[in-house]
Amino acid sequence: MSKDKLPRHATERQTADISEAQIAVHWPEEDYFSPSNPFIAQANLTDAGIFARFALDKFPECFKEFADLLDWYKYWETTLDTSNPPFWRWFVGGKINACYNCVDRHLATHKNKTAIHFVPEPEDEAPQHLTYQELFVRVNEFAALLRDFCGLKAGDRVTLHMPMVAELPITMLACARLGVIHSQVFSGFSGKACADRVADSESRVLITMDAYHRAGNLLDHKEKADTAVMEAASHGQQVDKVLIWQRYPGKNSSPTKLVEGRDFVINDVLRKFRGQRVEPVQMPAEAPLFLMYTSGTTGRPKGCQHSIGGYLAYVTWTSKFIQDIHPEDVYWCMADIGWITGHSYIVYGPLALAASSVVYEGVPTHPDAGRPWRIAEDLGVNIFHTSPTAIRALRRDGPDEPLKYNHHFKHMTTVGEPIEPEVWKWYYKAVGKGEAAIVDTWWQTETGGFLCSTVPGIHKMKPGSAGPAIPGIHPVIYDDEGKELASGSGKAGNICIRNPWPGGFQTIWKDPERYVRQYYARYCKDPESKDWRDWPYLAGDGAVQAADGYYRILGRIDDVINVAGHRLGTKEIESAALLVPEVVEAAVVPVADPVKGKVPDLYVALKPGLAPSEEIANRVSASVVSEIGAIARPRRVIVVPDMPKTRSGKIMRRVLAAISNHLDPGDVSTLANPEVVEKIRELAK
Ligand code: PRX
């Protein structure tokens, strides 16, 4: 990588005007909780010596241990190729298939074991229990359809816009069997958001479902496919086929009509493929398994490209040793498969270990806050995984509900946002009944799997802190000037990872320069260097390391907001607001929320002479929902007479954030228009 390709002054801002980390609440260090003896007695990892085996001087060969959990057609020759930093290549020369590792290899010993429990939202609908043998059959038949009906082959991309149903992992695994790269878009995203991802990934095939249940409604989902195909065409991407799963096979649950010659009901087409078998394609370890789009500092989501070998090795190892999954466990991760958590820790990790993984439809608090505990009791779930937002909502709506049910978790996870110590303690006492070990796992779409977490059979837990780095991960915290903070300093800075690891994404799809710029430019020591030590990975989070080595994550340092555990770019929301013709300026700020962690407040200024109105504010909100999805709906749209600005015309989001969070905006006298601050404060009351 030549110097001119690696600008020292990144064009994308990596320090926002106002970031989550800046408004993070600082809670005091908490006491430790110990994992129980019964948990330790059965844990997959209890030897603290593991950390010495994964010390930096054992890097990268130590990661062989991860890849050895998988079945390889051909063993790799080079564990890590660093010849083109920071494009790391893991297990080079190896041949592998992800679907084979998650399905076929279990048939000899586990074919009658449940692979996927699907729990429909309506409680009068019986759950479905798909054995590994049934999964094998369904994946093969669908892979045959993708190959022979759609003409898909290794390396092609397919966009999935599917809700939480068993057909989603079936679809992913069928793609993986063929070496086809899947790009699953969260079902709550709008048709337009789906279109951007269809176009960027150049998908000719879109796979969707007619409808799904959510919070008491059967939502029409097929209509989003029509928007997605139309909008993708306007970005120059033709979709030839839309494949539609039916929520109730044999019955159409969507009022949206099929388009002749383009739309196909999967169950009709599948009839021709009954009983067919498809040999798993022996793929290079370094070939991409999937793309996962995520928000960054610009309006454009980026497609994080994950490899087959490195990614699968990483999620399998972390599922075994951090999630403590054994083949006999019933494991329920409540995340949506449309996010990285679902890919890594509902589908690929647990299935690679032959566990039974629960896929549930709906939301945790509907029809009431007892639902998760009923499901756990009914299915005998013993490992449970969810987000602070879900925990806060369940605690708010049903603080005593868990104690009414006879479920027993040995292990629980929290992921995706900082968890407040009092929320952690409720999770521990009420949900875990004081029996479960808890891991607070910090990681990201880009990282494929966990980075920081306690090892549940080794470490004590500390509420509100993720824990130390997991074996093989070596973080470092830098200040804004690039100075390394002493380990355990208790000072806040920007957390980076010193070394590559197999689960890390390979690049941003079709945008390698952005990959370098955004994640490596800031703290790269020498752009000419081929030594991985010179290329720390910038995670984009603020963090503090306490004297005991535990990390506490403060939140994003860039223009990203984590709303209810969903990652949204403020620029994406602002761009959607600017589509409303009356709007000339838009600024989004994060606001602390007792349930969702953070929510966006959206400030807009109108063209000169236009009067603010509720109608305009509503249209701004509607534009955000239509461009991105309901998850991005602003808490409030506040129409202001002018934005607070510096003399050079820059919007001072810091001042807006202070107003929204009821904090002191500090000295505003140097603004070009200090008088506007009071007016905005009145409007935002
Ligand atoms: O800010 C961090 C926060 O979630 C971001 C990553 O979001 P995403 O890519 O959508 O992946 C979510 C699932 C891993 C991070 O940059 N985050 C994630 N886990 C934690 C967290 N913040 C605090 N504590 C965590 N355990």
Side-chain angles (χ1 to χ4, degrees), residues 128-144:
Q128 297 163 19
H129 313 283
L130 212 68
T131 63
Y132 273 95
Q133 176 65 26
E134 286 163 339
L135 182 62
F136 173 76
V137 169
R138 294 195 61 185
V139 166
N140 270 279
E141 291 177 349
F142 193 55

Side-chain angles (χ1 to χ4, degrees), residues 113-177:
K113 180 174 186 249
T114 299
I116 294 170
H117 294 281
F118 171 60
V119 185
E121 180 176 277
E123 289 191 280
D124 53 2
E125 259 178 53
Q128 297 163 19
H129 313 283
L130 212 68
T131 63
Y132 273 95
Q133 176 65 26
E134 286 163 339
L135 182 62
F136 173 76
V137 169
R138 294 195 61 185
V139 166
N140 270 279
E141 291 177 349
F142 193 55
L145 183 154
L146 292 177
R147 186 188 59 189
D148 300 340
F149 181 68
C150 300
L152 290 168
K153 55 181 189 324
D156 290 344
R157 279 82 54 207
V158 171
T159 297
L160 284 46
H161 194 200
M162 292 183 60
M164 285 290 284
V165 286
E167 285 77 6
L168 176 47
I170 289 171
T171 304
M172 291 162 66
L173 291 164
C175 290
R177 197 165 188 86

Side-chain angles (χ1 to χ4, degrees), residues 341 416-418 440-445 541 553 556 562 567:
T341 305
E417 313 153 60
D440 178 346
T441 58
W442 170 68
W443 59 295
Q444 311 175 300
T445 304
D541 278 320
I553 306 301
R556 303 289 310 187
N562 199 331
R567 187 165 151 185

